[in-house]
Amino acid sequence: MNPEESWNMLFFKRLLMIALSGALIGLVTPLPAADHKGDRFLIQGRALEAKKDWDGALDAYQKALEADPADIQYQMAVEKARFEAGQMHVEKGVKIRSQGMLGEALIEFQRGFSVNPGSAVAVQEIRTTQEMIERERQRVLQTGRESSPEDRGLTPLQQLRQDQERQLDRLLPAPELRPLGPSRIDFKISNADPKTLFNTLGKLAGINVLWDPDYSQGGGTTIKPQSVDLQNTTLAEALDYLSLITRSFWKPLSANTIFVAQDTRPKRTDFGDFVMKVFYVSNVGLPQELTEISNAVRTAANLQSVVLVNAQNAIVVRGEVDQVQLAEKIIHDLDRPKAEVLMDIIVMETSSIYTRSLAAALSPTGLTVPGNFTPRSGLQVVNNANTTGTTGTTTTGTTTTGTTTGTTTGTTTTAAATSAAIPLANLGHLASADWSTTLPSALLQAVMSDAKNKVLQEPQLRSVDMVKATLKIGEREPYASGSFQPGIGGVGINPMVNTQFQFMDVGVNVDMTPKVHDNGDVSLEIDLEISDVEQWLNLGGVQQPVVGQRKVHHNIRLREGEVALLGGLSKLTDSKTKTGIPGLASLPVVGRLFSGDSVDRERDELMIAIVPHVIRRPEFTAEALRTIIAGTSQNIKLNYAPLEAPDGLAPPAPAAPAAATVPAAPVPALQPAAPAVAPGAPPSPGPPPAAAVTARFLPASVEAAGAGGTFTVEVALEGGSDVFSASPIQIGFDPKLLSLADVSAGGLFSKDGQQPVFSRNIMNDMGLATIQYNRPPGAPGVSGTGTLLTLRFQTLGHGATSITGNLTIRNSGGRVIGSANPQLPVNLK
């Protein structure tokens, strides 16, 4: 076989071996799984998930799941994306709804529910939004105008809380002189009994007065006729004044009716109205805090029925109206977010160890010269076991056993544990060769080591005001705390002793209770412990740790950002050791040959610093700190300020005249109060009637081009006197033929240079526009004729249609002085 054929054969054999090896590996190694059909969609979904496009990710994951419904990975991805997509639509809907767009928000909630039918929050938001849409629809039907986007975006719960806030703002403090508003009345009467006083005031204010059938003037005590002269007072204040001087109390039964009874505890018990209310406390986390608030409510409001519901953080209250209102004021003031503080804890520790050792020449650590007994060969000695023997080579002897004779020479070695002894008869044979010693060696040594360690720990700890916070950084080390032995025992039985173990926290342990003051200072009760295991000891067969600790307990007060050193410890250990031969080590110069010395220096320094940062301060508002009047020692009675009209308008004046004077002649007790005008007398001439106010469109009719054209019309006001407001103004049109492009304010309300209040809401899809147009608050009304609004329309089609208007006109006192419903015919060619 030539060399080329040999090489080919060798190459063939190698290929055959490689193929066989691959086949064997294939038999024991499983083939890689084929790619799933849905992996491509899974990758797409993950890319969309990274972009927070949960709708797209859900669609991709669902396609992957359709390709392989049994794949667990696909199922998990679909469930996660379904939850996140549903939650995304719910959050988007909440944001849109807060802007007043209820229809768009409802669509988002419905999308969230369609994506994730198991979303309970989507169902809740859909129900809430539907209630808000129905509430807004009823409001438009009743008032003829839409509310502001902020009011539309309020959920029923938010609206209720807003109403509560407004009512709490109306609580009055102790009486004080203030400028009187325009809605005050004058009331003057002389020598009248209690019933006459109340009845006359009722006639004057246009309210009905009902009496307790058992009413007794003064509660059984005769009260003389009283003269009352009240100027510029509200109706509620006048009723309270009369109740005080007649020893009566009153309560409203409806918007225009009151009930009067004598002011005694039985009568208040019989006729006092009780209400029940549940207060949900949102800023309290501990049952103890909820109990403290309920005790304050029960005591301060003199309530008998106060129930705690810890599971809901709620307080259920039942009592008289003023008692429950006072309880609401107390809970509102006490339920405040707690202050929070963030503490920077800085632990700095350094240690330095310095060691130096010098030794020279002979015996630096002292002289030790041992004398050893090493007997010569052939010297008979006796060991400590009283056994006679020889060292080295034994004497030659003959041993005869039977007929066999031989000579044996050997060496006998004495055990190391035995000591050689010599018989007294051989003492004379001792010589210097039987003794040996070890001479000291010479040494030259110079060693120095310097080690430094630095430890820096900076943990942070955040805590709520007056709540303990704990931080533990380190390990938990076991230690034996006791043992017990079973009661079973006896001969041949070895009772088992069981050891009990506990664990200790080793490392940095911080316990902190802060108190944040309103000026930003922080009072701290702090326990700081830094510990580590220094060594382990074997005690009774159990390894026990020896723990070194540094512990600080402080009660301090710091300013925000102030650095305080809680503890500083410096430890310095300096030791010097000298060794050598006594006497020789003390010789000058040469003494260094017979001595050695070492120096050890160890320094440890520890510093602990703390820096407080106030995250939230206590919230003490002026509303919570002010004083309010709360009745007498026996009865809780709250007073409220008059309601302010919206949009800065003055409240409507009462139907009765603003002032009345009753003659001084006495009136029978059971008769109604004398009217301001005697019966049968001709009525006194009143103020001259105001001029009629009218509104119309200018021009009176419009002809305009069909689709694509524009035209402008004006709304003019004529014959007005002291006109303050024309709100609300509603403009109606056919949305199929017309589109309202713009609404601008006319010059009537700005003729004196003052800027009026103007807002609009155009809903072209409904064919409706609502406009608010008022004089600025505090400004007088205007008189005369002028342009109220300018309207610009776009035409959408051809045909005859009309534009309608609806407006209510009020004077500066807030009273309605006219209304108008003008119409404008429009012909689109």
Side-chain angles (χ1 to χ4, degrees), residues 46 63 97 106 117 125 167 175 192 383 416 538 555 576 586 603 664 750 823 828:
R46 287 175 176 172
K63 290 179 180 178
R97 187 178 63 188
L106 181 60
E125 297 298 346
Q167 189 176 30
N383 58 19
N538 191 325
N555 284 286
K576 184 176 181 181
S586 302
R603 183 181 184 90
S750 59
Q823 290 190 357
L828 303 178

Side-chain angles (χ1 to χ4, degrees), residues 646-650 717 721-727 749 756-757 773-783 788 808-815 817:
D647 299 330
L649 299 178
L717 204 64
S721 177
D722 190 26
V723 178
F724 185 87
S725 170
S727 300
F749 284 174
V757 178
Y773 192 28
N774 307 323
R775 291 276 290 166
V782 299
S783 302
L788 197 63
T808 301
I809 305 166
R810 301 176 185 270
N811 62 9
S812 58
R815 299 181 62 182
I817 59 176

Side-chain angles (χ1 to χ4, degrees), residues 480-487 495-501 542:
S481 60
S483 61
F484 67 93
Q485 179 175 339
M496 180 182 295
V497 177
N498 295 324
T499 303
Q500 297 174 340
F501 288 90
V542 179

Side-chain angles (χ1 to χ4, degrees), residues 198 235-245 248 250 637-639:
F198 279 101
L235 175 61
E237 291 173 345
L239 290 173
D240 289 339
Y241 298 153
L242 295 185
S243 299
L244 180 62
I245 64 175
S248 307
W250 64 275
K637 180 68 173 66
L638 304 181
N639 294 336

Side-chain angles (χ1 to χ4, degrees), residues 630-665:
T632 65
S633 61
Q634 299 296 325
N635 301 312
I636 302 295
K637 180 68 173 66
L638 304 181
N639 294 336
Y640 293 89
L643 281 173
E644 295 183 0
D647 299 330
L649 299 178
T661 302
V662 179

Side-chain angles (χ1 to χ4, degrees), residues 158-303:
Q158 291 172 340
Q159 188 178 37
L160 178 61
R161 289 179 175 174
Q162 186 183 74
D163 294 340
Q164 291 176 347
E165 293 285 343
R166 290 174 179 173
Q167 189 176 30
L168 290 174
D169 289 340
R170 292 172 46 227
L171 285 175
L172 286 179
E176 58 178 319
L177 294 178
R178 292 177 178 269
L180 302 178
S183 60
R184 305 283 175 152
I185 61 174
D186 297 335
F187 178 62
K188 183 177 181 181
I189 188 172
S190 301
N191 296 327
D193 56 69
K195 284 193 173 183
T196 302
L197 293 174
F198 279 101
N199 287 332
T200 303
L201 181 60
K203 294 293 183 181
L204 178 64
I207 62 173
N208 302 316
V209 181
L210 299 182
W211 294 89
D212 175 20
D214 299 331
Y215 182 81
S216 174
Q217 300 179 12
T221 302
T222 302
I223 296 182
K224 298 179 181 179
Q226 301 289 326
S227 297
V228 178
D229 187 359
L230 301 177
Q231 303 292 328
N232 293 325
T233 185
T234 65
L235 175 61
E237 291 173 345
L239 290 173
D240 289 339
Y241 298 153
L242 295 185
S243 299
L244 180 62
I245 64 175
T246 61
R247 299 179 185 176
S248 307
F249 81 93
W250 64 275
K251 71 172 186 177
L253 298 181
S254 66
N256 61 346
T257 304
I258 65 171
F259 177 83
V260 182
Q262 59 190 30
D263 192 5
T264 61
R265 174 46 56 186
K267 289 298 180 182
R268 283 189 175 268
T269 303
D270 293 340
F271 296 110
D273 291 331
F274 271 52
V275 295
M276 186 276 294
K277 191 167 185 178
V278 180
F279 299 98
Y280 293 94
V281 184
S282 59
N283 295 302
V284 169
L286 300 177
Q288 178 184 357
E289 298 172 344
L290 191 64
T291 302
E292 292 176 354
I293 293 179
S294 66
N295 291 337
V297 169
R298 180 183 290 107
T299 303
N302 196 20
L303 285 165

